[in-house]
Amino acid sequence: MNARTRTALATALILGIAAGPPAPAALATADSSRHAAGAGTRAEAPDAAALLAALAGLPDSDSTAALVRVGGTDGVWRGSAGVHDLVSGAAADPHARFRAGSVTKVFTAAVVLQLAAEHKVDLGRTIRSYLPDLVPSAYGQVTVRQLLDHTSGIPAADLPGTTPEERYAHRFDLHDPRDMAASALAEEPEFAPGAQQHYLNINYTLLGLLTEKVTGRPFADEATRRVLRPLGLRDTYFPGADPRISGPHNHGYQSFPLPGGGTELRDVTVWGATESWAAGDLISSTADLERFVRALFRGRVVPRPQLAEMFTLPGGSVRQYGSGEPAAYSAGLSVITLGGRQVWGKTGSRWGYTTAIAATRDLSRTLVYSVNATDAKGEGMNPRALSLMVAAFGEPSA
């Protein structure tokens, strides 16, 4: 993959080695099959060779494991590679659970859009009208829709630590969503509501609080009742204050600099996620996320009139804050053109894990992956994840 391809794709998709002998690599394993396309449809089966190549060589300095599911009407391919953990060197569990990071936002958006379909939430109404005791007059014009598509102008919450080392020291801190929202809302707006787009967790923290206010139930309970349970997502759950991953899971690692130079890998599998809450604390599996994507795009999660919000970018001349790039985020999803096809989806990362769901609108091709990235919160996109995206869908358009 050339540098131009890497830069273009990483720009579009970003949200967001140990000393001693390396652990033995597990061989990539894969299962592929082909579904017949419907009449008049040109089927192009997943490129098994490219996908296998994208999994080759694990573990390496960037990733310790990867789990992949490619599906859709064009065909099916599944693969896994790497290790369960660096101590045992056992093969990665292809059915493992993992931290889905900001893929959580798609679930949160789905809940809010369901409430909109039930006339319990008006997307054009201000968030202050729902949470008057929390949202000050400075943000009195911010609408629910602007939270969904990150055009609110509300800055990030104040959280401790900026470096991986500092964040590691605070990994078990508990964060209250109302306190996080209050810290953000005490600051000056970054821009006028609707004028620009800045992807930030705070928007979905407020949507979680909105859900609780409207339904009278904890956000996790409401999302479970509305989305997880009806779809039978048995490996998917909201961990709350528990910093562990319950059930089978592959370990996550983060690279940390050493005082005298070089780096070391630390096991960061156990790490609290209360700072992410409705914006990024979900734990899931590739099979569950694949099922969710299929159901969502088919209109089985969100009614089709409201589902259109997920496939609609902000109108007018809205650009991304700081970079000036065109707006790329809708309600819960983002979009890019790969292999000549428009691909909608969402990436996410937590310490030790980076995840993505992606699909064409017609579900001819879907992709779900979990990569155990050693710098999941670093700048740019993990090279392994980038290779998987290109192998599944093709190169980005010029």
Side-chain angles (χ1 to χ4, degrees):
M1 187 186 306
N2 59 40
R4 181 172 171 276
T5 296
R6 182 182 296 277
T7 301
L9 183 56
T11 298
L13 294 177
I14 291 171
L15 286 176
I17 195 132
L27 294 176
T29 60
D31 172 58
S32 62
S33 61
R34 176 76 174 272
H35 292 313
T41 301
R42 181 170 64 92
E44 296 180 357
D47 188 338
L51 289 162
L52 276 172
L55 287 180
L58 285 174
D60 62 14
S61 60
D62 295 311
S63 315
T64 59
L67 314 178
V68 185
R69 294 176 75 97
V70 178
T73 55
D74 289 352
V76 174
W77 189 93
R78 298 171 185 172
S80 63
V83 294
H84 169 270
D85 65 273
L86 292 176
V87 175
S88 71
D93 181 350
H95 306 293
R97 296 175 180 178
F98 47 81
R99 300 190 188 279
S102 286
V103 172
T104 308
K105 292 182 177 69
V106 191
F107 289 75
T108 302
V111 170
V112 173
L113 292 173
Q114 283 187 9
L115 292 169
E118 297 163 8
H119 305 290
K120 296 175 181 176
V121 167
D122 182 341
L123 301 184
R125 188 175 164 186
T126 67
I127 186 63
R128 188 172 190 233
S129 67
Y130 291 102
L131 301 169
D133 60 330
L134 178 63
V135 181
S137 59
Y139 293 99
Q141 300 307 307
V142 173
T143 67
V144 176
R145 182 176 282 109
Q146 289 164 348
L147 294 175
L148 283 165
D149 66 15
H150 300 279
T151 60
S152 69
I154 301 172
D158 184 19
L159 295 170
T162 56
T163 68
E165 193 70 61
E166 291 169 340
R167 298 295 294 277
Y168 183 79
H170 290 277
R171 66 192 183 280
F172 298 132
D173 288 3
L174 297 178
H175 303 274
D176 179 79
R178 288 187 66 89
D179 290 344
M180 290 190 293
S183 73
L185 294 166
E187 301 296 326
E188 292 293 319
E190 292 183 329
F191 49 81
Q196 298 184 64
Q197 185 174 71
H198 191 184
Y199 176 87
L200 288 172
N201 281 353
I202 190 61
N203 294 294
Y204 279 69
T205 299
L206 282 163
L207 290 171
L209 291 170
L210 167 66
T211 299
E212 293 192 336
K213 180 64 177 290
V214 169
T215 66
R217 286 182 285 269
F219 171 76
D221 291 352
E222 191 66 12
T224 299
R225 184 180 75 86
R226 288 177 171 270
V227 182
L228 309 192
R229 192 173 299 131
L231 294 181
L233 306 184
R234 296 181 178 85
D235 289 321
T236 304
Y237 72 99
F238 297 90
D242 190 345
R244 300 163 297 179
I245 301 175
S246 70
H249 58 276
N250 300 315
H251 288 228
Y253 296 87
Q254 170 66 33
S255 177
F256 289 86
L258 292 170
T263 59
E264 68 170 353
L265 286 183
R266 295 182 199 167
D267 191 323
V268 292
T269 308
V270 181
W271 192 307
T274 55
E275 69 183 59
S276 297
W277 194 51
D281 71 348
L282 194 74
I283 289 171
S284 192
S285 68
T286 55
D288 272 11
L289 290 181
E290 183 181 64
R291 178 180 295 186
F292 172 68
V293 169
R294 290 199 306 261
L296 180 69
F297 280 39
R298 288 172 177 160
R300 290 178 48 215
V301 180
V302 175
R304 291 195 179 277
Q306 288 71 36
L307 182 62
E309 298 278 345
M310 287 191 155
F311 299 102
T312 304
L313 297 178
S317 58
V318 176
R319 315 288 285 188
Q320 292 189 47
Y321 180 71
S323 72
E325 294 290 329
Y329 297 97
S330 62
L333 299 176
S334 61
V335 64
I336 184 175
T337 300
L338 296 172
R341 297 181 289 187
Q342 199 174 61
V343 178
W344 292 86
K346 188 71 186 72
T347 59
S349 63
R350 289 291 304 168
W351 301 97
Y353 303 86
T354 187
T355 301
I357 59 174
T360 55
R361 182 78 183 269
D362 64 358
L363 292 175
S364 58
R365 176 67 46 82
T366 67
L367 168 68
V368 176
Y369 68 68
S370 170
V371 173
N372 294 62
T374 60
D375 193 17
K377 287 292 188 179
E379 294 294 326
M381 188 174 183
N382 177 271
R384 188 70 56 169
L386 184 63
S387 297
L388 288 168
M389 191 70 73
V390 171
F393 291 105
E395 300 277 349
S397 299

